[in-house]
Structures are given as structure tokens and as C-alpha cells.
Amino acid sequence: MRIEELDKAAEIGTKYGELGINPTFGAAYFYSRTAGNRLINFSEVIWDRDIDEIIANCRRYGIKDFTISSTFSGLLETIAEFEKRGCHMVRLIEINSNIDDWKAGLEGIQKKEVIPALLMRIDRE
């Protein structure tokens, strides 16, 4: 997944807010790029106040599916808030972390650590 507007902004040092991008969304996008995932992944805390903007940013860029790999306390409440806004959890999947798998590195293979994540889907407006 590539969002050209965010990639260009990062090159010239534009802040997310100047583009109307939620900072949590922007961080998740670049996490996913570093990790080599095809879906945007939220690996950090998602505050309730960010959920509406995250969903709006997903819609803005045509994103219907995303993942959450964060294990922060309060995650169930956050999932419930996404549900109230027309999203649902699809299933548990595995994605790449943005951290190198040191075990594979010992074998001379460069790859990312694989971690569990919740696959989420945006259903309605």
C-alpha cells in the first residue's frame, strides 16, 4: 500500500496536521511501509479521540481493511468504539513487525519478525 501524498510530505518534512492527517494514522502508515505490510497497521495506542479521524483518513485514501497489532490495555474498548462507527473485527492474522527477526539474521536471512494482529474492516459510512 502506498499513499503518495504522505510519501511526498515525508520527503519535504511536512507535518501530518498540515495535510489534515491524524498523527496516529500517519505513524501507522509509515510503520506498515517499514514492515512491508500491504495493510496499514496500528501498533501503538489508539485514543478514542482519534478514531473518527482514523476512519475518515481511511476513507479518504480508499482503505477498507487495516490491522491493529497493539496490545495496549483498553484495546477491547477501542475495538468497541470502532464497531460503533461502522467497523468490525474480521479475524486474527499474522503480519510483519517493523523489527528485524534476529533469529533469521543469524542464518543470513533478512526478514521481519511476524506478529499477530486483528484484521479490521470498515463497513459503512
Side-chain angles (χ1 to χ4, degrees), residues 71-83:
T71 58
F72 65 92
S73 65
L75 180 59
L76 289 178
E77 288 87 358
T78 299
I79 299 299
E81 289 300 319
F82 273 107
E83 291 266 345

Side-chain angles (χ1 to χ4, degrees), residues 37-56:
N37 294 318
R38 70 175 185 83
L39 299 176
I40 191 167
N41 177 58
F42 294 87
S43 65
E44 300 295 328
V45 172
I46 300 171
W47 300 104
D48 288 352
R49 66 178 177 265
D50 291 330
I51 294 173
D52 289 330
E53 290 179 1
I54 287 170
I55 293 170

Side-chain angles (χ1 to χ4, degrees), residues 97-122:
S97 162
N98 66 354
I99 298 170
D100 290 335
D101 183 344
W102 65 271
K103 292 175 192 171
L106 293 176
E107 299 166 5
I109 303 167
Q110 188 73 20
K111 66 180 189 176
K112 299 293 183 182
E113 182 179 69
V114 176
I115 58 173
L118 301 173
L119 175 60
M120 302 291 296
R121 182 160 294 143
I122 301 172

Side-chain angles (χ1 to χ4, degrees), residues 51-95:
I51 294 173
D52 289 330
E53 290 179 1
I54 287 170
I55 293 170
N57 289 160
C58 284
R59 288 186 174 129
R60 174 178 175 178
Y61 295 111
I63 297 169
K64 291 195 67 104
D65 294 335
F66 60 93
T67 60
I68 300 174
S69 66
S70 178
T71 58
F72 65 92
S73 65
L75 180 59
L76 289 178
E77 288 87 358
T78 299
I79 299 299
E81 289 300 319
F82 273 107
E83 291 266 345
K84 290 177 189 175
R85 290 164 172 84
C87 301
H88 74 274
M89 187 180 83
V90 177
R91 63 186 167 97
L92 187 65
I93 64 171
E94 290 185 332
I95 63 166

